Amino acid sequence: MVNDNICALSTAAGVGGVAIIRISGPSPLSFAEKMFRPQGKTAVKDFVPYMLYTGEFDAGSFKDYGMCVYFKAPKSYTGEDMAEYHVHGGIAIVNGLIKRLTELGCRPAARGEFTRRAFLNGKLSLSSAEGLIDMINSESEGEVKAGYYLYRENLKRKVSAEQDKLKAALAEIGANIDYPDEVEEEGVSARVGETLAEVGAFIDGLAATYFAGRKLTSGVVVGLVGRPNTGKSSILNSLLSYDKAIVSDVAGTTRDVVEGTLVINGVKFECKDTAGIRDSSDAVENIGIALSRRVLDEADVLVVVLDGSEDLTKEDEEILAFTAGKTRIVAANKSDKGGKISDAEIFVSAKKGENIDKLKEMLFNITVGKIDTNKDFLTEQRHYEALLRARAALKKAQAALESAPLDMVSVEVEECWQILGEITGQTASEAVVDEIFSRFCVGK
């Protein structure tokens, strides 16, 4: 428990109907006693926790009418005593009330300090805090679902259960070391071996969900590729439903990678329109072409755009051959001009919007359509890397179990337990904790 009171605007900055100013610390009601006059006979010191009281706020130079609520520790967001001012959402009102709070001795909160106090007071795990900021920053349903999975402590419960198994194994090893005449080593080794196998299977299964989870949260990268003037930029604009890329009949108009984001069935898709791939004597265009080739390597799925009103060219054939081993959709554009290409997977007209919705459906099905988006997935790189290190320690423990004394096995089992604790925050370093809470805004 810390010894100072902190305050900050908890709702979004700017003009709004209601603004909430949050205060947390050992004595938040002491500020309300000096700033808030409840309507009726109830004094601030007699506030019933978790009940809203209407009344008048005094900022010194002006007053506002609103509501005040008191949250008693430990049943509060931070685990400390808290108070909230619910006032009209004017910028001057909020700034004036916070200014008055600081004049009375309340310190402005740092980024994520309320949630950090909640973590330090055992109200949520580190992985839950990560889920919370993921939800706040989410741009798609997939991100919300993944963040909620972490926020509701689902990952913590699963990881903690495996840690408990390792702790039990360590206790059994310790008993054998301390009482070798009473605890049979062969039986201990067999039971520890079973435990290590169970934990290893859990780690492998959870780690295997990471790449699907990253697609659902970070989004699917779509690369639009093809020779110049096939209509890649027009398709991008049609997919996004607004003009993001410059469209021109002049070949080589796109010189850089143009990006835009859309959401399909709750999943974010980041589309990248690339410079047309061809041999060019234009130095600037060649830089764009080089970037296009990089997109070919980085994209989760490619849309190879052909000019459906023309026969295949040598450049088309080269691009089709180069992308043959990749996840792709071959789309013939300009279907409104009559089709001359028979082997495209979909015929579209970016100009008239024909089959654009079908193209979106194909993009979804070819990338995440077979993933059950209601399942739990590993989504944080930090968690994934910790699992890989934990698995490596576990493999060393399993190898030691075959040839080394049990005390050597316990060293690696302890290491695995410690690494798993980094995920929940139980053993995370101060630097990791600082980095995570730096992602929060002030007021959360």
Side-chain angles (χ1 to χ4, degrees), residues 105-145:
C106 195
R107 175 173 64 79
R111 295 172 69 91
E113 190 168 3
F114 291 100
T115 305
R116 185 173 188 138
R117 290 189 178 197
F119 165 65
L120 294 174
N121 291 325
K123 299 296 291 185
L124 78 174
S125 68
L126 197 59
S127 59
S128 177
E130 288 172 291
L132 178 59
I133 191 60
D134 287 345
M135 290 180 69
I136 291 172
N137 293 332
S138 62
E139 298 178 355
S140 67
E141 289 181 12
E143 291 172 287
V144 174
K145 289 178 180 179

Side-chain angles (χ1 to χ4, degrees), residues 164-377:
D164 288 344
K165 293 178 183 178
L166 294 176
K167 191 181 293 184
L170 286 169
E172 200 159 11
I173 291 172
N176 174 259
I177 293 172
D178 293 339
Y179 308 102
D181 295 333
E182 300 178 26
V183 181
E184 183 185 359
E185 181 172 350
E186 185 174 336
V188 170
S189 296
R191 289 190 292 274
V192 169
E194 291 176 1
T195 297
L196 299 185
E198 288 178 12
V199 176
F202 164 79
I203 292 176
D204 290 341
L206 185 57
T209 69
Y210 174 68
F211 293 103
R214 290 299 289 175
K215 283 185 180 180
L216 294 175
T217 54
S218 296
V220 177
V221 178
V222 180
L224 298 168
V225 298
R227 63 178 172 84
N229 237 13
T230 56
K232 298 184 298 298
S233 296
S234 296
I235 288 179
L236 174 67
N237 291 341
S238 294
L239 286 169
L240 301 179
S241 298
Y242 67 92
D243 291 342
K244 175 74 174 182
I246 297 173
V247 176
S248 170
D249 291 333
V250 179
T253 299
T254 302
R255 300 299 185 93
D256 202 349
V257 176
V258 182
E259 301 179 6
T261 301
L262 72 153
V263 175
I264 307 174
N265 297 335
V267 178
K268 184 168 63 176
F269 284 73
E270 183 182 355
C271 299
K272 298 187 176 186
D273 173 27
T274 65
I277 299 175
R278 65 171 178 173
D279 293 327
S280 174
S281 59
D282 187 314
V284 176
E285 185 182 357
N286 278 328
I287 294 174
I289 292 170
L291 290 173
S292 299
R293 295 187 183 278
R294 185 185 303 173
V295 170
L296 286 173
D297 296 328
E298 297 175 350
D300 296 305
V301 58
L302 300 173
V303 178
V304 181
V305 182
L306 307 174
D307 186 336
S309 66
E310 301 177 356
D311 293 325
L312 284 179
T313 66
K314 180 182 178 182
E315 290 171 328
D316 291 329
E317 291 173 347
E318 289 175 350
I319 293 169
L320 287 170
F322 185 74
T323 60
K326 303 178 183 295
T327 303
R328 73 178 189 185
I329 297 171
V330 179
N333 190 26
K334 306 181 184 180
S335 61
D336 54 301
K337 294 185 177 181
K340 290 190 176 182
I341 297 175
S342 60
D343 55 352
E345 296 170 71
I346 182 172
F347 295 84
V348 302
S349 171
K351 182 177 180 180
K352 294 189 174 182
E354 293 176 359
N355 276 342
I356 295 300
D357 286 341
K358 184 177 179 181
L359 178 58
K360 291 180 182 180
E361 182 182 340
M362 291 177 69
L363 284 170
F364 182 85
N365 289 338
I366 202 172
T367 53
V368 296
K370 295 181 180 179
I371 300 174
D372 183 355
T373 57
N374 293 313
K375 288 178 61 177
D376 295 331
F377 292 92

